[in-house]
Amino acid sequence: IYLGTKTYQEAWELQKQLFEKRAEGLIEDTLVLVEHAPVYTVGRAGIAATDAHSAAAEHAPTEIKVRKLCSVPVVEVERGGKLTFHGPGQLVGYPIFALPHHDLRRYLRDMERILMSTLAEETMLPARPCPETLLLEPGQLQTGVWVRDHKIASIGIAVKRWVTYHGFALNLRTDLRYFEAVEPCGFQGSIMTTLEREMGADANIE
């Protein structure tokens, strides 16, 4: 399902509806593709870090001001991971899939492989998983797709009753200033890149 441009809340509600139908066996595996208006989302790891500091929790931001751009809302969601950005020029995918193998690590690695192979086939870019030298913690499962030493795609999922929702965000021509205003997934904002920057050409969602 390609939604075009939708608010995060609209796509989130659709995900939850599709999730319930997939969990009940009423629909087949479904991939939702969408582009969002600017929004920051905070996953379970980011929420847990805030909750661990009660003073910080009282002042958790509901929006973040991005210099020379705009104020961007912050939404807490049930996916894994920390804070990241969604916005124009980014292709976001929400797989609503039943996992017969019940293996979350395998599912995450499968998603990485699909993104990497698609990038390699369509653009010839040297896409790969997170380089060992850039792991935030030794032995940590750091998801996402990288081109050289810059991150081009982020992954954050939720799974209930072995049905997946949330998913991936691939930066095509995203304004990187939105990332530079925060620490996306715990990294410095400057670590992020786009298809347009890496190819030196226009990268369209269509």
Side-chain angles (χ1 to χ4, degrees):
I1 301 174
Y2 179 58
L3 299 180
T5 301
K6 295 289 183 183
T7 67
Y8 188 83
Q9 285 78 5
E10 288 175 309
W12 194 11
E13 286 304 315
L14 176 61
Q15 278 193 81
K16 288 184 274 192
Q17 294 169 20
L18 293 173
F19 165 83
E20 290 296 336
K21 291 180 180 180
R22 186 67 187 98
E24 294 170 12
L26 300 178
I27 60 173
E28 298 298 318
D29 287 347
T30 303
L31 174 63
V32 178
L33 297 174
V34 64
E35 183 179 13
H36 290 309
V39 63
Y40 291 106
T41 64
V42 184
R44 292 189 303 271
I47 295 169
T50 301
D51 288 345
H53 302 85
S54 57
E58 292 175 7
H59 303 287
T62 56
E63 65 177 27
I64 294 173
K65 174 66 177 176
V66 182
R67 189 169 177 268
K68 295 186 178 180
L69 289 174
C70 59
S71 291
V72 180
V74 179
V75 180
E76 293 185 356
V77 295
E78 61 275 78
R79 63 163 173 79
K82 299 180 181 179
L83 181 145
T84 195
F85 171 76
H86 296 310
Q90 185 185 71
L91 181 63
V92 180
Y94 299 125
I96 315 298
F97 291 176
L99 294 184
H101 50 67
H102 293 187
D103 187 334
L104 296 185
R105 184 179 290 263
R106 173 179 166 185
Y107 172 64
L108 289 167
R109 292 311 183 208
D110 284 346
M111 193 183 301
E112 286 180 339
R113 279 193 290 271
I114 291 169
L115 288 167
M116 289 187 292
S117 63
T118 300
L119 283 169
E121 291 170 9
E122 298 295 330
T123 70
M124 302 298 288
L125 289 173
R128 60 172 176 166
C130 181
E132 296 263 341
T133 55
L134 295 175
L135 290 175
L136 294 174
E137 298 174 15
Q140 181 187 42
L141 178 63
Q142 182 64 51
T143 61
V145 175
W146 300 65
V147 175
R148 291 174 280 272
D149 290 333
H150 287 85
K151 191 174 187 181
I152 197 167
S154 301
I155 295 174
I157 66 165
V159 178
K160 289 194 299 187
R161 292 141 66 186
W162 294 110
V163 175
T164 70
Y165 57 122
H166 295 283
F168 67 86
L170 175 63
N171 299 325
L172 301 182
R173 44 184 166 76
T174 319
D175 190 329
L176 294 174
R177 288 178 292 178
Y178 288 107
F179 290 110
E180 291 164 0
V182 296
E183 293 186 354
C185 304
F187 291 97
Q188 292 295 316
S190 58
I191 207 80
M192 304 300 293
T193 192
T194 66
L195 189 62
E196 183 178 63
R197 172 186 279 187
E198 298 301 322
M199 294 185 68
D202 226 2
N204 293 314
I205 286 180
E206 287 76 21

